[in-house]
């Protein structure tokens, strides 16, 4: 069971479309933080608009906003960050094949005509997280770089020499 589950029945999106606001509760945010391996997800909110397409798919567009805390890659101090991302997805009913177009929204297949929007937003958040968060002013120590300033190059000196034959 996903930590943040908000099922949407594709059939509930009428010809005029619909709007939906998803907001994660405290327990859901704590479970997502554990899943992502970060100290905290302090807020998670998505505002989405759904429009039906001619082939039965549903286009979902909107914004995802989250406040998260990650650990600095240099100091391991907590770093608060704001994530704001545009969201564009195509929700697919049974029988509609995913398109493999790089400039098109990601296709999300349904299970029996139901798509878990919460899980889709959790995945979008995971992709938007900074892979190398840094605390303000955090810098690698000088001994971690070589004379050319390449980070962690000093570790190469610790590698054992390759045997000669």
């Amino acid at each position: 069971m996903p930590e943040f589950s908000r099922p949407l029945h594709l059939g509930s999106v009428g010809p005029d479309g619909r709007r939906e606001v998803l907001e994660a509760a405290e327990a859901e945010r704590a479970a997502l933080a554990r899943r992502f391996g970060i100290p905290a997800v302090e807020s998670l909110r998505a505002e989405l608009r759904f429009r039906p397409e001619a082939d039965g798919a549903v286009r979902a567009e909107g914004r995802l906003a989250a406040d998260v805390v990650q650990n600095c890659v240099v100091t391991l101090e907590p770093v608060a960050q704001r994530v704001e991302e545009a969201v564009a997805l195509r929700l697919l009913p049974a029988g509609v094949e995913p398109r493999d177009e790089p400039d098109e929204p990601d296709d999300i297949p349904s299970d029996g005509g139901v798509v878990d929007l919460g899980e889709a937003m959790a995945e979008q958040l995971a992709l938007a997280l900074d892979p190398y968060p840094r605390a303000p002013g955090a810098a690698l120590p000088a001994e971690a770089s070589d004379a050319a300033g390449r980070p962690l190059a000093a570790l190469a000196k610790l590698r054992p020499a390759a045997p000669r034959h």
Side-chain angles (χ1 to χ4, degrees), residues 14-133:
D16 295 331
R18 83 186 249 190
R19 292 184 184 274
E20 193 82 30
V21 175
L22 311 175
E23 201 151 359
E26 184 177 348
E28 293 167 324
R29 295 190 315 268
L32 286 170
R34 283 190 300 276
R35 172 176 162 185
F36 300 151
I38 62 176
V41 175
E42 295 179 338
S43 70
L44 172 58
R45 178 182 172 93
E47 295 182 19
L48 302 169
R49 183 173 193 303
F50 304 96
R51 291 178 299 140
E53 294 187 337
D55 64 356
V58 173
R59 184 166 298 245
E61 294 177 329
R63 304 259 338 136
L64 170 71
D67 292 302
V68 300
V69 177
Q70 294 181 265
N71 289 325
C72 173
V73 295
V74 177
T75 65
L76 300 180
E77 293 175 34
V79 179
Q81 296 183 313
R82 176 77 174 167
V83 174
E84 292 195 37
E85 292 285 317
V87 174
L89 303 170
R90 196 163 167 262
L91 313 175
L92 307 178
V96 174
E97 291 296 316
R99 297 188 285 199
D100 194 18
E101 300 292 328
D103 295 331
E104 288 292 316
D106 289 338
D107 289 333
I108 309 290
S110 67
D111 183 9
V114 177
V115 172
D116 192 335
L117 294 175
E119 177 58 19
M121 293 304 100
E123 290 172 4
Q124 294 293 308
L125 175 58
L127 293 170
L129 290 174
D130 184 348
Y132 304 107

Side-chain angles (χ1 to χ4, degrees), residues 156-165:
K157 296 176 190 173
L158 301 176
R159 203 174 7 185
R164 296 182 182 236
H165 295 281

